[in-house]
Amino acid sequence: MIDQHLAQFALQIGVENVLIGDEAKPYLVDWTKRYSGEAICVLKPANVLEVSAILKYCNANSIPVIPQGGNTGLVHGSVPGETKSGSLPVVLSMLRFNELNTVNRLDRSVVVGAGVTIKDLATHVSKFGFTYGVDLAARDSATIGGTVATDAGGIRVVHYGTTKAQVLGVEAVLADGTIIDSLGSTAKDGAGYDFSSWLIGSEGTLAVITRVRVRVKNPLPNAHTYFVGLNKFSEASELIAKCFLEQKRVLAAEAIDEASFELVCKFLDLSKPISDYPVILLLETDSEVDLSAFTFVKSQSAKESLEFWARRERLGDAVGSLGIIHKADVGIPPENLDEFIAEFHIEVNALSAVKQTLVYGHIAECNLHLEIIGPAANDVSAESVTYKLVAAHGGTVASEHGVGRAKCEFLSLVRSDDYLQTIKLLKKTLDPKSILNPGAVIALD
Ligand code: MLT
Ligand code: ZN
């Protein structure tokens, strides 16, 4: 049967775009190396008609399809998971969707292929005098399709908003091969349901995104970049609030706990510009901020700013160098921030397998990246404790990385039964055989 499927896929997209064996391997394991699985093959279609033909065939033959962008996901959403015998999936890599169209300077938008990387999109729109609002450390590999599917955030959300705020429309293919063109042709289009917003955060479970129309924005103003020493995370929230009150534009605000800061400085062999503070805030603003009440350092050159940013952007690599990491990307209401962080450290470190816990994150949105070092890859006891604590503090278990398979079982902690039943209904309506990324986001009965 598998040979028959491979022959059919080769007819649809060319044998050179059907990867098996060693060629397929990099697409079957995720960035953290914690999640991997098997697949019939990796398919690399080049246009929407090819995606439509593949999905039609997979739907008819009940073959699960795992859509994949740059494979930078952290929640086991874009590589296969455990599969029942006889139901091996295909991975649908969207990397050949690299179309970059002319920026429409009159309505400040551009249509791009789902496989375009964030970096290539930013470079492209900069030639027209614009920028793209979403930026993140994985910019070289993360794709526009993947970031729409997870509503990725990153480092500029405080200024430009998350991916949701950038998307004007999408072209996507449903499980049965139906092509929905909802790219739109005007900058404001309120005619009926907004199809693109169904797909934002759906992580490939409702449709495969093939093209996206996004807003382009004015580039960032010249930035003032600081490291500020703080006693607790909530002081960062207060400082950001003060900047807003004083009409300063906050361009980025990243808080890092002392242990993470120490680790990344050592990892990069860079100095530790601020010592003896439990929290270090990387603050970027459009104009000078009065920080006389704080201990701070200000970047004096573009090179120094890059080094400030390296200490934030390479944190994932620095922590990753310690081994298998359990990563929890959570959002906490600002009023509960310090209490949550204190309880997280105490409760998770009480587990015998846990060696260390670290906290950093996009503090303007109270989006924390909690890193847990010690437990074996398949031991989710620390996640379980963490997410229960998140729910108890009124937070969210998925702030910007998505739910994937990793957090599927924890979604009910923060979403009501009515919500879960309604999204199941939507899933069953659009994908009745559940071929699209089964097991991610929502567990079907
Ligand atoms: C980050 O903010 O560094 C990213 O979301 C990735 C990560 O958590 O490792
Ligand atoms: Zn992040």
Side-chain angles (χ1 to χ4, degrees):
M1 202 57 184
I2 285 190
D3 285 347
Q4 198 178 313
H5 296 327
L6 290 173
Q8 180 61 26
F9 294 137
L11 272 179
Q12 287 173 334
I13 61 173
V15 71
E16 67 282 13
N17 297 309
V18 180
L19 313 185
I20 53 170
D22 282 353
E23 273 192 331
K25 274 188 185 152
Y27 301 81
L28 303 179
V29 54
D30 82 334
W31 184 87
T32 66
K33 308 271 183 276
R34 189 176 164 203
Y35 305 116
S36 59
E38 285 178 47
I40 296 173
C41 59
V42 175
L43 300 174
K44 299 189 81 175
N47 60 60
V48 69
L49 294 177
E50 290 185 353
V51 172
S52 172
I54 289 169
L55 291 190
K56 211 170 177 174
Y57 180 81
C58 289
N59 199 42
N61 291 281
S62 299
I63 300 172
V65 178
I66 319 282
Q68 188 181 93
N71 198 7
T72 58
L74 299 168
V75 293
H76 198 182
S78 56
V79 294
E82 266 177 44
T83 31
K84 291 179 228 129
S85 65
S87 63
L88 271 186
V90 295
V91 170
L92 192 68
S93 167
M94 299 303 287
L95 291 181
R96 291 176 70 214
F97 279 71
N98 51 13
E99 160 192 351
L100 283 163
N101 292 291
T102 302
V103 172
N104 186 335
R105 63 181 182 82
L106 301 180
D107 68 7
R108 298 160 305 284
S109 77
V110 63
V111 173
V112 297
V116 170
T117 65
I118 297 299
K119 184 183 174 199
D120 287 348
L121 176 56
T123 307
H124 175 67
V125 305
S126 72
K127 292 176 193 149
F128 298 82
F130 291 101
T131 194
Y132 179 56
V134 169
D135 193 17
L136 29 78
R139 62 181 72 79
D140 291 2
S141 313
T143 62
I144 185 73
T147 53
V148 171
T150 51
D151 190 18
I155 57 177
R156 300 295 177 192
V157 174
V158 62
H159 188 57
Y160 292 118
T162 67
T163 301
K164 200 183 295 182
Q166 323 305 324
V167 176
L168 288 166
V170 297
E171 175 193 77
V173 186
L174 300 184
D176 66 359
T178 304
I179 299 169
I180 308 282
D181 181 349
S182 158
L183 287 167
S185 55
T186 68
K188 253 166 107 180
D189 186 352
Y193 296 175
D194 180 8
F195 181 69
S196 54
S197 60
W198 294 11
L199 301 195
I200 297 169
S202 71
E203 301 178 46
T205 60
L206 297 180
V208 175
I209 299 168
T210 47
R211 290 198 294 168
V212 186
R213 192 149 79 93
V214 291
R215 297 175 201 281
V216 292
K217 298 284 174 71
N218 280 337
L220 287 171
N222 281 337
H224 297 249
T225 309
Y226 308 90
F227 273 133
V228 190
L230 301 172
N231 293 307
K232 47 193 180 179
F233 279 80
S234 62
E235 284 183 9
S237 305
E238 291 294 345
L239 180 52
I240 296 161
K242 171 177 131 70
C243 291
F244 270 83
L245 207 63
E246 291 172 1
Q247 314 285 317
K248 314 272 180 209
R249 270 190 267 173
V250 178
L251 309 177
E254 299 289 326
I256 308 168
D257 72 9
E258 199 183 9
S260 306
F261 199 60
E262 176 99 43
L263 176 75
V264 76
C265 292
K266 274 203 185 121
F267 180 77
L268 295 173
D269 201 15
L270 286 174
S271 67
K272 195 173 149 212
I274 296 223
S275 292
D276 302 326
Y277 279 90
V279 178
I280 294 90
L281 173 69
L282 194 172
L283 178 68
E284 213 160 69
T285 51
D286 69 330
S287 50
E288 195 91 43
V289 182
D290 175 9
L291 292 171
S292 51
F294 298 89
T295 298
F296 73 96
V297 285
K298 186 177 181 204
S299 156
Q300 300 300 326
S301 66
K303 180 175 172 278
E304 205 177 355
S305 295
L306 285 176
E307 286 179 2
F308 276 32
W309 272 105
R311 293 177 181 90
R312 168 59 185 89
E313 295 208 319
R314 299 295 305 282
L315 266 168
D317 294 327
V319 181
S321 71
L322 302 177
I324 291 285
I325 309 300
H326 293 246
K327 297 169 94 68
D329 151 57
V330 307
I332 301 294
E335 54 281 8
N336 298 341
L337 205 52
D338 295 327
E339 194 184 73
F340 168 80
I341 293 169
E343 288 178 27
F344 161 73
H345 285 303
I346 292 170
E347 290 199 18
V348 173
N349 280 294
L351 299 171
S352 57
V354 174
K355 294 200 181 108
Q356 197 180 5
T357 45
L358 301 165
V359 178
Y360 59 92
H362 314 287
I363 199 66
E365 297 79 43
C366 296
N367 172 192
L368 303 177
H369 294 322
L370 311 171
E371 312 272 34
I372 303 159
I373 300 137
N378 59 358
D379 173 359
V380 294
S381 52
E383 278 93 333
S384 186
V385 168
T386 302
Y387 295 135
K388 280 184 191 144
L389 205 55
V390 167
H393 285 85
T396 176
V397 299
S399 200
E400 63 164 9
H401 295 169
V403 175
R405 289 170 184 77
K407 298 186 193 172
C408 191
E409 65 178 292
F410 302 110
L411 194 57
S412 60
L413 290 171
V414 294
R415 296 287 191 222
S416 69
D417 278 353
D418 288 341
Y419 169 94
L420 294 172
Q421 290 308 326
T422 306
I423 65 165
K424 276 183 194 172
L425 202 60
L426 185 59
K427 168 77 175 162
K428 284 179 179 166
T429 306
L430 292 184
D431 179 17
K433 289 185 162 182
S434 190
I435 64 156
L436 288 177
N437 217 3
V441 187
I442 180 91
L444 297 178
D445 315 317

